[in-house]
Amino acid sequence: MSLYGMMRTGVSGMEAQANRLSATADNIANSSTTGYKRAGTQFSSLVIPGSTGNYNSGGVTTTTRHAVSENGILQYTTSATDLAVDGGGFFVVADTNGTPYLTRAGNFVPDADGHLVNAAGYTLLGYSFANGTPSATANGFAGLEPVTISQTGLTATPSSTGDLYANLPNDADAVATTDLPGQNPTTGASYTAKSSIVTYDNAGAEKLLDVYYTKTGANTWEVAVFDQSQATPGSGFPYASGPLATQTLTFDGTTNQLASTSATDISIPVPNGGTVDLDLSQSTQFAADYSVYDAKVNGNPPSSIQDVKIAGDGTVYAQFDDGSLRALYRIPLASVESPDNLQTLSGNVFAATSDSGDPTLGFPGDGKLGNIKSGALENSNVDIAQELTDMIESQRTYTANSKVFQTGSDLMDVLVNLAR
């Protein structure tokens, strides 16, 4: 046995316990930090080969890992932009240079530019609805942009899509072709049923459209849409101009659903606006009165954003003065094969490593990804009682290792004094 080796082993033990105490100190200090993942110190032995009858003391090495895969308890708040992941996955955020990172810290608030930024200054990233319904880029961060909620100014969205589902009475009388609204709009045309829908033009002005259903024969109906502003005041027909659009629906006489060969929608050019694709696919023809059981069209009048709503699937909605909602962004979640091997950086963010695997992006609820909880935050996963226990244990073990070093030092003094 080497006295120097004995002393080095004691030093190794003290360094190991000092590392454990440092991790414990970090855990206790961040016990109230949103999304913090506790650090844990793991020990492994260091063995030095020796000869028969001669033992060489080795030491201990430490490895510190963060329990990233262990979720914290959710705490609910009153802010809609406070977000938590209920299950697996990470938010994708970016620093001031635009470098993407992963995080579980979802305490986001709008900054001066309307970007959603968390307490560490990282900006939440998402996919915009500006170019249609977004899809996630599975193997990279391409297409992501800062989630921006502007609270100033007015905005209007012209109508582009809608649904109109109605039951058309099976026993209605057929109307002669010459009297159909789509064929004879300037006289007192005959029709079976009528509804009106609200759409919005490019300036956000309401445009009321009159939708006429007219039975033309067995299982066959004409749908004709008119601009209500062109109607005779107080009545309807005659209109100053012809229909904006017409369509023919054909029903299956057995199922009373639309036949497989029938049209299922109608494209309507809104005056001073875009084209509304109105879905009619769920229309029926049962022996009952005419009734509309679903009617909705997107778009909104000029109004400012009053509130933000974030759904569990990650869709960020702007709520306007009139209560209408518009989808702005969809927030993805990222996953890696080995979360505990992510590199932990300042600000409660993580970077991928060769041991963790590359991030894969998807939307909340897909596969093993959790859902997003709006108005909630994930607490740290630190257990204070356990940390205090670990601290006392490390303190005692550190003291014991210091005794080993002190004993080696005392024996060294004895050895030196033998020469005197």
Side-chain angles (χ1 to χ4, degrees), residues 6-8 10-11 14 400-410:
M6 173 184 177
M7 296 170 67
R8 283 195 297 268
V11 171
M14 287 189 287
N401 278 281
S402 70
K403 291 297 183 182
V404 172
F405 181 87
Q406 184 178 359
T407 300
S409 177
D410 292 342

Side-chain angles (χ1 to χ4, degrees), residues 34 74-84 106-108 373-379:
T34 299
L74 300 189
Q75 177 181 350
Y76 291 89
T77 72
T78 58
S79 173
T81 58
D82 281 340
L83 303 178
N107 45 348
F108 297 105
K373 294 288 186 181
S374 176
L377 294 173
E378 181 183 1
N379 289 333

Side-chain angles (χ1 to χ4, degrees), residues 135-320:
S135 59
T137 304
N139 62 342
F141 301 108
L144 290 172
E145 58 184 76
V147 175
T148 306
I149 307 297
S150 176
Q151 298 288 346
T152 59
L154 296 177
T155 181
T157 304
S159 299
S160 59
T161 61
D163 301 327
L164 183 59
Y165 305 143
N167 180 70
L168 308 180
N170 184 286
D171 54 357
D173 295 330
V175 174
T177 302
T178 55
D179 293 331
L180 294 177
Q183 303 295 324
N184 192 11
T186 58
T187 62
S190 300
Y191 58 89
T192 307
K194 171 188 174 183
S195 290
S196 297
I197 58 174
V198 177
T199 61
Y200 298 95
D201 65 12
N202 293 330
E206 286 189 1
K207 294 293 183 180
L208 284 173
L209 305 182
D210 292 336
V211 182
Y212 291 90
Y213 292 96
T214 310
K215 189 173 184 178
T216 61
N219 302 317
T220 305
W221 294 74
E222 179 199 74
V223 181
V225 182
F226 290 82
D227 179 2
Q228 191 178 98
S229 66
Q230 300 296 311
T232 301
S235 58
F237 289 102
Y239 285 82
S241 59
L244 298 172
T246 60
Q247 187 60 276
T248 299
L249 301 182
T250 305
F251 289 89
D252 184 316
T254 302
T255 65
N256 292 307
Q257 310 286 338
L258 287 179
S260 59
T261 57
S262 174
T264 57
D265 60 6
I266 182 172
S267 296
I268 309 167
V270 177
N272 192 39
T275 298
V276 175
D277 293 323
L278 195 62
D279 184 11
L280 308 172
S281 62
Q282 301 303 310
S283 299
T284 58
Q285 185 195 239
F286 290 106
D289 292 338
Y290 170 76
S291 61
V292 175
Y293 50 90
D294 191 13
K296 57 178 179 287
V297 179
N298 70 349
N300 63 269
S303 58
S304 60
I305 297 176
Q306 293 299 304
D307 199 2
V308 175
K309 305 291 184 182
I310 302 177
D313 65 355
T315 304
V316 181
Y317 295 95
Q319 185 174 39
F320 295 91

Side-chain angles (χ1 to χ4, degrees), residues 58-108:
V60 59
T61 60
T62 58
T63 301
T64 301
R65 288 179 177 168
H66 287 77
V68 180
S69 59
E70 182 181 326
N71 296 341
I73 297 173
L74 300 189
Q75 177 181 350
Y76 291 89
T77 72
T78 58
S79 173
T81 58
D82 281 340
L83 303 178
V85 180
D86 185 12
F90 301 85
F91 297 113
V92 181
V93 295
D95 61 11
T96 54
N97 297 321
T99 304
Y101 296 99
L102 310 182
T103 188
R104 297 276 293 194
N107 45 348
F108 297 105

Side-chain angles (χ1 to χ4, degrees), residues 289-354:
D289 292 338
Y290 170 76
S291 61
V292 175
Y293 50 90
D294 191 13
K296 57 178 179 287
V297 179
N298 70 349
N300 63 269
S303 58
S304 60
I305 297 176
Q306 293 299 304
D307 199 2
V308 175
K309 305 291 184 182
I310 302 177
D313 65 355
T315 304
V316 181
Y317 295 95
Q319 185 174 39
F320 295 91
D321 293 335
D322 63 347
S324 63
L325 298 173
R326 187 179 73 183
L328 301 178
Y329 297 91
R330 194 168 184 193
I331 302 169
L333 294 178
S335 63
V336 294
E337 287 296 325
S338 179
D340 291 342
N341 282 312
L342 287 167
Q343 180 185 6
T344 303
L345 303 173
S346 298
N348 280 344
V349 295
F350 307 100
T353 66
S354 58

